[in-house]
Amino acid sequence: MLLVAEQALNGLQYGMMLFLMAAGLTLVFGVMGLINLAHGSLYMIGAFACASVAAATGWFSLGLLASLIAAAAAGALVEMVVIRRLYARDHLDQVLATFALILVFSEGTRWVFGSFPLYLNLPPALQGAVTLPGGLQYPLFRLVIIAVGAAVAVGLWLLITRTRLGIRIRAGEADREMIAALGVDIVGLYTIVFALGAALAGLAGALVGSIQSVQVGMGEPVLILAFVVVVIGGIGSIKGALIGALLVGMTDTLGKALLPGFFANFMAESSANAVGASLASMLIYILMAMVLILRPQGLFGARA
Amino acid sequence: MNILSKMQLATAASALLLAGAASAEPVKVGMITTLSGGGAGLGIDTRDGFELALKNAGDAAAEIELIIEDDQQKPDIAVQIADKMIQSEQVDLLTGIVWSNLAMAVVPAAVAQGKFYLSTNAAPSQLAGPGCDPNYFSVSYQNDNMHEAAGAYASQEGIASTFIMAPNYPAGKDSLTGFKRFYEGEVTDEVYTQVGQTDYAGEIAQIRNSDADAVFFFLPGGMGIAFMKQYAESGVDKPLIGPAFSFSQDILPAAGDAALGVINTANWSRDLDNDANTNFVETFQAEYGRLPSLYAAQGYDTANLLISAMGKADVSDQEAFRAALNEADFDSVRGKFSFGPNQHPIQDFYVREVVKDGDVLTNKIVSTSLTDHADAYVEQCQM
């Protein structure tokens, strides 16, 4: 029972991390109609900024702040220098250009920081495990990630529904010519949206970098999952990103935990482990395929 | 590919210099190794160790022409590079591959085309048993070895039950097979993780929930860093045992204090007391400003083996060159070193503990778990 509870928390934490990635991705796609493969690089930039600032100053909170600033700045810069020229082009051009950005960011990061992974230390106050009601011990920092993810979800919802910027974002999503004609600075709006998405990715990178390792190329595997989340949730929908991320996180974690035991019921243990592990790694893609068969536009997507 | 082109420039330049100095028939060596991506630290250490041996050997290595390329840890790219090196650059010998899946993609084809392959690391069981080849030498070990040593250690310590875990790929399966071969206690759980996995929350939950006394895990590269950091945070206190890969010098700085006190098994350690090793560690530190890892040590030994063979035979006379390699007449940083009938090493395996030496995390030998150890596949090799 404790095992299932712990795995459910793990799934929730993984889902929240994916949400931070997917929210930025779906925001940019929904508002600007842009496929940004370099989103994973912004995640990496956040992690490296956090690790280097935290190492230099000894303050993890400064590192987190730096990750937000560095990723947002990199995002804004990329939007102004490269992405701005691509809105009118088709998606293939966007894919090519943003793929090139991945290579530029990866090699640039390697050039600055080297190929060896960096070490990002958690502050003592966030280290170790806490005992939850029911006697379950759980790492404190993973609970922090869940809380941050939930706070970001609420914050984004307030931003989109309750603020002037949110109104503009929604309007830009619906009809970009019209809001430009109404005198809204659409160029500036796009830069802000892109920087906001980048900052969320950077935050995810910094948080995850502190429990995993900070290394070049760390963003790409997460990027693929973030795309899966966006596709499942529906393109452009923040709510879809949240539900999709939690669904993917839970499916992946519980699949890995339960499938080997399930196969052990009717085959030898070591082959059950290998088969279970292989199938568990496919599970989220099977989930995506099923969602797409039933709802091609995703769970909360407006467009097909 | 900024770094790659810089390196190609550097190797081309050094090749020109060497060509000027060489008079006898040079040996053209193609090194395929991982210089970018998450596993880059391993390939960089392999390369640096190999190049250091050439530098330390001075004139004796002047006839070696070294070409280095980055396989990006991808089998298809490794195969492309190997084809190019064999067909258009006409190398005599290949080396440097870190990962077993890449080695399986490259080595059988390379030796079938009459090239030598000296393995600096990867040594899958398929190439030690029925798939062995007169032109294939493993200078590192056989993949199962370190895990066998860990199993032997766990038995010697009387650990009654163990949770074992490795990635779901050939070397991962070899690993758990190797551990079980020498472990007399009970295996409570056998878990396969994804290759490249970075989050181990699920596996840690299973470890917490199992009644094992200890955990044996094989997670090379960034995987091990992530696991150890998360394990240290989890509040689970079962002791960890692993092969040296997750406690190698390239990993320790990133793993941090989470690795302190962990027991690991290896065929080499920085504190091994012999002249070749002392000289290696000192010159490596002077040259690169960091401590060498296991991969660097194996790269260094491979280059020295090659140099020793070149002193005895010409590479164009394959029969004689093979015999010269087989003699293994070089000063290994591992102290003693010889080849078994399947051209895999016979060597000692040590039990090391991660300790702090001043500010630097490193390994200290605590005992020897297997002496003059060969591998389990030697009988199956017909050459």
Side-chain angles (χ1 to χ4, degrees):
Chain A
M1 205 48 230
L2 279 183
L3 177 67
V4 175
E6 181 170 2
Q7 295 291 17
L9 276 177
N10 287 336
L12 187 61
Q13 178 263 313
Y14 190 37
M16 283 303 187
M17 190 276 289
L18 287 176
F19 167 67
L20 290 179
M21 283 295 282
L25 205 58
T26 201
L27 205 58
V28 167
F29 197 106
V31 176
M32 316 189 331
L34 181 97
I35 294 185
N36 177 24
L37 290 187
H39 201 65
S41 301
L42 299 165
Y43 169 89
M44 177 181 74
I45 287 172
F48 273 92
C50 183
S52 49
V53 170
T57 62
W59 287 83
F60 182 72
S61 48
L62 279 183
L64 274 186
L65 189 66
S67 74
L68 286 172
I69 295 172
L77 188 72
V78 160
E79 199 277 339
M80 288 190 278
V81 177
V82 183
I83 307 283
R84 194 166 281 182
R85 291 156 224 284
L86 298 170
Y87 295 129
R89 311 285 283 271
D90 68 20
H91 285 159
L92 188 60
D93 290 352
Q94 299 171 356
V95 165
L96 272 178
T98 53
F99 183 73
L101 283 174
I102 295 183
L103 301 180
V104 170
F105 277 123
S106 290
E107 287 309 312
T109 310
R110 191 194 313 288
W111 189 60
V112 177
F113 293 98
S115 290
F116 292 92
L118 291 192
Y119 180 43
L120 177 50
N121 206 352
L122 282 175
L126 296 178
Q127 281 177 5
V130 289
T131 308
L132 299 176
L136 172 65
Q137 276 205 318
Y138 198 74
L140 177 60
F141 195 70
R142 289 187 191 267
L143 293 176
V144 172
I145 295 181
I146 295 174
V148 169
V152 167
V154 172
L156 273 180
W157 177 72
L158 289 175
L159 175 82
I160 304 261
T161 55
R162 300 289 156 86
T163 64
R164 182 171 290 273
L165 178 63
I167 294 169
R168 290 181 176 172
I169 288 175
R170 276 183 292 151
E173 201 169 351
D175 191 336
R176 72 174 80 168
E177 280 82 15
M178 183 57 86
I179 73 154
L182 287 172
V184 173
D185 176 12
I186 189 100
V187 175
L189 176 68
Y190 278 14
T191 309
I192 291 171
V193 170
F194 202 88
L196 177 65
L200 290 177
L203 177 63
L207 291 175
V208 170
S210 1
I211 49 174
Q212 299 178 1
S213 61
V214 178
Q215 58 189 13
V216 175
M218 63 189 281
E220 274 75 68
V222 190
L223 177 76
I224 295 170
L225 289 174
F227 268 110
V228 171
V229 166
V230 170
V231 168
I232 288 178
I235 289 159
S237 163
I238 297 284
K239 185 164 81 174
L242 180 62
I243 308 280
L246 294 179
L247 211 54
V248 168
M250 287 291 180
T251 308
D252 189 61
T253 308
L254 292 178
K256 270 195 241 159
L258 304 178
L259 275 180
F262 170 72
F263 281 105
N265 289 332
F266 45 85
M267 54 170 83
E269 186 158 4
S270 71
S271 46
N273 287 328
V275 171
S278 305
L279 190 64
S281 61
M282 286 184 249
L283 213 53
I284 50 174
Y285 301 100
I286 296 172
L287 172 75
M288 177 173 77
M290 284 188 335
V291 168
L292 287 183
I293 290 168
L294 297 172
R295 272 184 74 85
Q297 71 273 41
L299 293 175
F300 297 92
R303 42 181 120 165
Chain B
M1 291 282 140
N2 179 8
I3 294 245
L4 195 59
S5 56
K6 247 196 291 182
M7 252 174 26
Q8 279 166 336
L9 210 65
T11 41
S14 54
L16 275 177
L17 285 176
L18 289 174
S23 52
E25 196 173 346
V27 174
K28 208 164 179 183
V29 176
M31 174 178 279
I32 305 170
T33 198
T34 304
L35 301 170
S36 61
L42 288 62
I44 288 170
D45 266 14
T46 303
R47 176 197 68 194
D48 288 354
F50 196 96
E51 288 188 324
L52 179 69
L54 301 188
K55 185 165 177 259
N56 286 354
D59 281 348
E63 289 166 12
I64 294 177
E65 185 184 331
L66 181 63
I67 313 163
I68 304 170
E69 288 215 45
D70 176 16
D71 59 34
Q72 301 170 37
Q73 206 180 331
K74 293 179 184 141
D76 50 328
I77 298 200
V79 169
Q80 281 172 24
I81 297 172
D83 284 346
K84 191 182 71 176
M85 283 180 167
I86 292 170
Q87 279 151 26
S88 52
E89 308 190 13
Q90 307 201 321
V91 297
D92 301 296
L93 188 147
L94 287 164
T95 186
I97 295 177
V98 175
W99 311 91
S100 291
N101 51 339
L102 275 66
M104 282 312 293
V106 166
V107 172
V111 293
Q113 293 175 70
K115 304 298 173 189
F116 284 100
Y117 187 90
L118 304 183
S119 182
T120 54
N121 191 59
S125 53
Q126 292 91 330
L127 297 178
C132 66
D133 189 280
N135 277 6
Y136 171 74
F137 290 79
S138 170
V139 193
S140 47
Y141 42 66
Q142 194 280 316
N143 273 1
D144 304 9
N145 283 161
M146 283 197 200
H147 318 288
E148 291 168 346
Y153 164 80
S155 302
Q156 286 156 17
E157 290 294 303
I159 296 170
S161 61
T162 308
F163 181 106
I164 63 176
M165 174 165 85
N168 196 7
Y169 81 123
K173 290 179 185 149
D174 283 358
S175 156
L176 298 191
T177 311
F179 181 84
K180 287 189 284 185
R181 190 177 290 133
F182 278 75
Y183 181 53
E184 289 152 8
E186 181 208 357
V187 173
T188 57
D189 303 83
E190 185 175 338
V191 169
Y192 287 101
T193 61
Q194 268 172 272
V195 179
Q197 183 172 328
T198 46
D199 198 325
Y200 293 92
E203 288 75 10
I204 290 171
Q206 284 172 272
I207 292 173
R208 193 197 303 278
N209 202 52
S210 86
D211 7 284
D213 295 328
V215 178
F216 167 77
F217 72 103
F218 162 58
L219 295 167
M223 294 184 264
I225 301 173
F227 171 70
M228 269 186 299
K229 287 176 74 171
Q230 292 160 27
Y231 189 77
E233 288 297 304
S234 71
V236 183
D237 55 1
K238 300 181 198 295
L240 294 177
I241 305 167
F245 307 110
S246 297
F247 308 94
S248 181
Q249 203 63 50
D250 55 314
I251 302 263
L252 285 175
D257 289 351
L260 260 184
V262 177
I263 293 294
N264 64 101
T265 48
N267 52 348
W268 172 82
S269 184
R270 183 177 73 98
D271 56 344
L272 262 183
D273 191 15
N274 65 65
D275 289 347
N277 196 40
T278 315
N279 181 38
F280 164 63
V281 174
E282 270 173 18
T283 51
F284 191 94
Q285 247 181 315
E287 184 79 18
Y288 305 109
R290 62 177 197 271
L291 290 174
S293 70
L294 176 69
Y295 307 98
Q298 289 174 166
Y300 188 83
D301 268 359
T302 305
N304 279 324
L305 168 70
L306 173 65
I307 294 165
S308 77
M310 284 170 64
K312 294 184 175 186
D314 210 291
V315 72
S316 55
D317 181 357
Q318 287 223 342
E319 196 83 8
F321 197 73
R322 190 178 303 130
L325 283 170
N326 233 327
E327 283 175 37
D329 186 13
F330 70 102
D331 288 329
S332 168
V333 295
R334 287 168 254 180
K336 53 182 173 179
F337 182 100
S338 61
F339 281 116
N342 60 348
Q343 299 179 166
H344 281 62
I346 297 174
Q347 57 189 332
D348 291 352
F349 285 84
Y350 306 97
V351 178
R352 315 188 300 181
E353 186 185 347
V354 179
V355 294
K356 230 174 193 165
D357 184 358
D359 277 348
V360 186
L361 281 170
T362 186
N363 283 288
K364 197 183 83 191
I365 293 183
V366 283
S367 66
T368 307
S369 74
L370 292 171
T371 311
D372 291 328
H373 186 57
D375 59 87
Y377 305 95
V378 64
E379 302 290 323
Q380 297 169 34
C381 168
Q382 309 289 331
M383 292 201 276

